[in-house]
Amino acid sequence: MGQKINPLGFRLGTTQSHHSLWFAQPKNYSESLQEDQKIRDCIKNYVQKNMRISSGVEGIAQIKIQKRIDLIQVIIYMGFPKLLLEGKPRKIEELQISAQKKLNFVNRKLNIAITRIANPYGHPNILAEFIAGQLRNRVSFRKAMKKAIELTEQAGTKGVQVQIAGRIDGKEIARVEWIREGRVPLQTIRAKIDYCSYTVPTIYGILGIKIWIFVNEE
């Protein structure tokens, strides 16, 4: 009791599924794992460069990867795909080509698809990006947290908890501040909880954001 555990790993096999689906021999396992990370980083960097700057939110909720012998299928779940695809319908092809060049896939084809999420602010990654944007713009952290919780409630979730840690507002001593609205039953395995941790580089150091969202109970 009292030991902290990642809510997603804790629920694997009940309400949570893996974000990467593939099989590898023990000697090739670490290589495949690093390859997954490279694919995710490559996609995030591309989206950051090509997004319309005005929004400040990339809107990537999660990236799922499925590997077969001759094909790597990547599904990007985005909250605001319009910001990336508007005016350039060939963006996905560009992304595929640049990723294939960078990662040097010889015998395998890379296939990328984009899926839109119905309620973007009901997903912790997009919410964390929103808070990060607010903190970079010197908005008070309490204001940013309250606004984020309002957005989540509009998305129809049952509960949300937001935590920010570090040198908040540039104070000398680092501290942890958190706020909760609704129910967030972290010890109930049946409860479907979405979680993310996100780092924000600011001028006075790095802040950490953690978000738990209680979606529903199965």
Side-chain angles (χ1 to χ4, degrees):
M1 287 294 286
Q3 301 300 318
K4 292 181 179 54
I5 185 167
N6 188 306
L8 303 181
F10 187 47
R11 288 169 175 78
L12 270 179
T14 50
T15 58
Q16 185 66 31
S17 59
H18 290 276
H19 290 173
S20 294
L21 289 174
W22 44 265
F23 175 80
Q25 295 294 341
K27 60 180 180 183
N28 302 329
Y29 182 81
S30 60
E31 213 173 279
S32 290
L33 203 61
Q34 285 168 348
E35 191 177 69
D36 275 14
Q37 193 55 48
K38 280 176 190 168
I39 291 170
R40 289 194 167 98
D41 289 345
C42 182
I43 289 168
K44 280 176 183 170
N45 291 341
Y46 180 86
V47 171
Q48 265 174 352
K49 281 178 192 168
N50 291 281
M51 267 295 207
R52 295 219 314 278
I53 307 293
S54 60
S55 67
V57 177
E58 292 163 32
I60 296 179
Q62 62 185 26
I63 298 169
K64 286 200 171 180
I65 298 171
Q66 294 177 5
K67 290 184 187 173
R68 296 179 203 156
I69 294 168
D70 56 348
L71 176 73
I72 297 174
Q73 174 75 38
V74 180
I75 303 168
I76 307 171
Y77 291 88
M78 289 189 84
F80 317 102
K82 268 188 184 175
L83 295 174
L84 179 66
L85 301 174
E86 210 166 70
K88 286 194 179 176
R90 297 176 66 82
K91 276 271 170 79
I92 295 177
E93 286 170 36
E94 262 180 53
L95 174 55
Q96 271 178 203
I97 293 161
S98 72
Q100 221 150 1
K101 273 183 190 169
K102 271 187 188 173
L103 301 165
N104 199 12
F105 294 132
V106 185
N107 304 322
R108 287 181 295 176
K109 189 174 180 287
L110 182 71
N111 189 10
I112 295 175
I114 289 180
T115 306
R116 187 178 178 278
I117 296 171
N119 295 321
Y121 289 113
H123 203 284
N125 281 328
I126 297 174
L127 205 63
E129 280 175 15
F130 169 77
I131 295 173
Q134 297 281 303
L135 293 173
R136 281 194 206 102
N137 295 338
R138 305 282 190 89
V139 174
S140 149
F141 76 95
R142 278 207 177 84
K143 214 175 185 180
M145 282 160 115
K146 279 176 183 165
K147 181 69 181 155
I149 281 176
E150 273 174 37
L151 288 169
T152 318
E153 283 175 342
Q154 285 166 17
T157 55
K158 289 191 172 182
V160 58
Q161 182 174 326
V162 179
Q163 178 182 304
I164 300 177
R167 287 185 58 188
I168 301 167
D169 290 343
K171 296 283 194 306
E172 283 292 299
I173 295 171
R175 67 187 198 275
V176 178
E177 293 282 350
W178 63 274
I179 185 170
R180 184 194 297 142
E181 198 68 49
R183 280 178 67 224
V184 185
L186 293 178
Q187 292 196 351
T188 311
I189 298 179
R190 277 197 325 274
K192 182 162 174 47
I193 286 181
D194 257 354
Y195 165 80
C196 90
S197 60
Y198 192 91
T199 53
V200 196
T202 62
I203 52 167
Y204 36 76
I206 287 179
L207 297 180
I209 300 173
K210 284 184 181 178
I211 296 178
W212 296 259
I213 293 178
F214 177 30
V215 186
N216 61 9
E217 200 151 355
E218 295 197 353

